[in-house]
Amino acid sequence: MKLRLVAGLGMVLLVGACGSGGPVSNGPPPGIAPGEPDPRGVRYRMAGDLPEGPGKGGVYGVDGAVSRGEAERLARALGMAGGVRAVGGEWRGQGLVVARQAPGAWSYTAKGDKCARGCSAPTEAEAREGARPVFAALGLADAEVRAGEVQGTSRVVAADPVVDGLPTDGWSTRLRLAAGGEVAGGTGRLDVPRTAGRDRYPVRSAAEALAALNEGAGDGSSVVRVTRARFGLAARTREGRPVLVPAWLFSVPPPRTTLAQTAIEERYLAPGGPRHPGGASSVGPGAEIRSVPPVSYAAAGRELSLRFTGGVCARYRAHAEEKDGQVRVRLTEEKEPGKICVMIAKDLTRSVTLDRPLGDRSVVTTEGEPVPAA
């Protein structure tokens, strides 16, 4: 069982010449579907020297709420008529849903299909031009943009923000462009964290990250060539909130083009873990912690948002386990003992970042009870 708050990929890389240890394969061995894990393990190899990285790095996050104006700016960029309205913990418009809690996970589906038959996917140039106004509205003018993915009669254009000059993984905005470059759908996060917290954590070297990526790979493991290694930031979760953490980004051939290996110790991300080396726990002594039932969920890309009813003085966190075609979720409420607080119930949302998009997996509580979609 793999807890979502454990951010490592369970694999690590081996540095060495590609000519040793047998032939190099750029894909999974026969009998294993592309993108599925090899039960015998995978070993990653990279020839040549690895790049230098910094000695320390910070964690980037966003807090607060998403305003109506921010949600409507996205709506206008998507070509939507009319504004948005508040529905529980979300802003909603024509086909658009935006979480009101930062970073504002959103999803959009255009109404109707103007090209059900006889259309072809737009060219890369058409798709990039159609996506440009949306990326501009989201402050992604300097993002790394990819437009090579085709889905039927649509082309997907994805933008990965550059933060503090560093490439990112897992904070993508993905737009689906139909014929003529019209935006037919998309997912992403409205806010991009631009400033790291004041704490700095020791960063693993690229060689250590590669070694961690290959951990557990046996002699019979398939071998995959690593074509590039970059120091950057990867989306992970701390205390139920999505953050960008220092990571090594390793490029490999499709179907998985990037493997992100966290470059700081997982204890700095775990609930109740130290906020800085040698620091104190974020959970106060004697804190009262209980579970809160989720009311519904919404999914946008890898972000899963849980809606629930809570108080104004407690701290809430979302947790998720991914196993056997299900995502098991849990919401926790933390209160300071003896604290006097006004008794007001509010509709709230907390989010957690999954290892991969939810897809057709079901969302259930830790007791196995289904959680309905919003």
Side-chain angles (χ1 to χ4, degrees), residues 110-122:
K111 299 298 182 182
D113 185 354
K114 298 179 181 179
C115 188
R117 299 178 185 176
C119 291
S120 58

Side-chain angles (χ1 to χ4, degrees), residues 96-179:
L96 176 65
V97 178
V98 182
R100 295 173 67 180
Q101 178 198 355
W106 63 271
S107 63
Y108 170 68
T109 303
K111 299 298 182 182
D113 185 354
K114 298 179 181 179
C115 188
R117 299 178 185 176
C119 291
S120 58
T123 65
E124 285 201 26
E126 290 173 332
R128 285 174 180 267
E129 180 60 24
R132 185 179 54 78
V134 182
F135 292 159
L138 294 172
L140 297 174
D142 61 346
E144 297 185 0
V145 178
R146 309 182 306 278
E149 181 182 349
V150 175
Q151 296 180 353
T153 59
S154 301
R155 183 178 294 272
V156 175
V157 182
D160 296 299
V162 176
V163 176
D164 263 1
L166 298 173
T168 63
D169 177 76
W171 209 277
S172 300
T173 295
R174 291 172 56 85
L175 300 178
R176 184 167 54 84
L177 284 301

Side-chain angles (χ1 to χ4, degrees), residues 169-210:
D169 177 76
W171 209 277
S172 300
T173 295
R174 291 172 56 85
L175 300 178
R176 184 167 54 84
L177 284 301
E182 181 178 354
V183 179
T187 60
R189 295 182 174 103
L190 203 59
D191 296 332
V192 176
R194 299 294 183 182
T195 306
R198 66 179 183 274
D199 296 323
R200 294 293 184 270
Y201 309 102
V203 170
R204 297 169 182 154
S205 68
E208 290 172 322
L210 282 172

Side-chain angles (χ1 to χ4, degrees), residues 193-256:
R194 299 294 183 182
T195 306
R198 66 179 183 274
D199 296 323
R200 294 293 184 270
Y201 309 102
V203 170
R204 297 169 182 154
S205 68
E208 290 172 322
L210 282 172
L213 196 59
N214 280 327
E215 196 171 84
D219 294 338
S221 302
S222 58
V223 178
V224 174
R225 184 191 305 275
V226 176
T227 59
R228 188 182 185 188
R230 296 183 294 169
F231 181 77
L233 301 168
R236 295 292 184 263
T237 301
R238 181 162 72 178
E239 296 183 355
R241 290 181 175 273
V243 292
L244 286 170
V245 306
W248 284 98
L249 310 181
F250 299 104
S251 299
V252 297
R256 299 191 67 175

Side-chain angles (χ1 to χ4, degrees), residues 4-374:
R4 176 65 200 102
L5 292 176
V6 176
L9 295 174
M11 301 176 288
V12 186
L13 289 111
L14 177 68
V15 183
C18 291
S20 60
V24 174
S25 170
N26 284 338
I32 299 175
E36 292 298 315
D38 181 354
R40 297 167 295 177
V42 177
R43 187 176 295 277
Y44 297 93
R45 289 187 173 181
M46 180 174 181
D49 297 331
L50 289 167
E52 294 288 334
K56 291 186 176 181
V59 174
Y60 295 71
V62 288
D63 208 344
V66 173
S67 69
R68 181 190 299 271
E70 290 177 296
E72 290 187 338
R73 184 174 67 247
L74 172 61
R76 289 192 297 270
L78 291 167
M80 289 173 46
V84 298
R85 67 189 188 281
V87 180
E90 299 167 339
W91 296 112
R92 293 197 175 194
Q94 296 179 356
L96 176 65
V97 178
V98 182
R100 295 173 67 180
Q101 178 198 355
W106 63 271
S107 63
Y108 170 68
T109 303
K111 299 298 182 182
D113 185 354
K114 298 179 181 179
C115 188
R117 299 178 185 176
C119 291
S120 58
T123 65
E124 285 201 26
E126 290 173 332
R128 285 174 180 267
E129 180 60 24
R132 185 179 54 78
V134 182
F135 292 159
L138 294 172
L140 297 174
D142 61 346
E144 297 185 0
V145 178
R146 309 182 306 278
E149 181 182 349
V150 175
Q151 296 180 353
T153 59
S154 301
R155 183 178 294 272
V156 175
V157 182
D160 296 299
V162 176
V163 176
D164 263 1
L166 298 173
T168 63
D169 177 76
W171 209 277
S172 300
T173 295
R174 291 172 56 85
L175 300 178
R176 184 167 54 84
L177 284 301
E182 181 178 354
V183 179
T187 60
R189 295 182 174 103
L190 203 59
D191 296 332
V192 176
R194 299 294 183 182
T195 306
R198 66 179 183 274
D199 296 323
R200 294 293 184 270
Y201 309 102
V203 170
R204 297 169 182 154
S205 68
E208 290 172 322
L210 282 172
L213 196 59
N214 280 327
E215 196 171 84
D219 294 338
S221 302
S222 58
V223 178
V224 174
R225 184 191 305 275
V226 176
T227 59
R228 188 182 185 188
R230 296 183 294 169
F231 181 77
L233 301 168
R236 295 292 184 263
T237 301
R238 181 162 72 178
E239 296 183 355
R241 290 181 175 273
V243 292
L244 286 170
V245 306
W248 284 98
L249 310 181
F250 299 104
S251 299
V252 297
R256 299 191 67 175
T257 56
T258 301
L259 297 175
Q261 181 66 32
T262 306
I264 62 175
E265 294 184 25
E266 301 295 341
R267 63 194 181 102
Y268 300 132
L269 302 176
R275 301 295 262 175
H276 54 81
S281 168
S282 62
V283 179
E288 300 174 356
I289 301 176
R290 71 181 185 94
S291 294
V292 179
V295 173
S296 63
Y297 77 87
R302 290 169 53 197
E303 185 156 314
L304 183 67
S305 298
L306 303 176
R307 290 184 55 214
F308 62 100
T309 301
V312 296
C313 296
R315 174 183 294 178
Y316 296 95
R317 297 169 180 160
H319 314 267
E321 293 179 349
E322 302 175 58
K323 184 181 179 183
D324 299 334
Q326 289 184 333
V327 176
R328 291 180 174 262
V329 297
R330 181 168 63 96
L331 287 162
T332 57
E333 176 188 75
E334 177 190 329
K335 290 183 177 180
E336 294 183 24
K339 183 175 182 178
I340 299 176
C341 183
V342 61
M343 299 296 290
I344 297 178
K346 296 179 63 179
D347 287 332
L348 301 173
T349 304
R350 292 294 182 268
S351 300
V352 63
T353 303
L354 304 176
D355 288 330
R356 58 186 174 88
L358 179 64
D360 59 0
R361 293 181 292 173
S362 60
V363 178
V364 300
T365 67
T366 52
E367 292 77 25
E369 294 294 325
V371 180

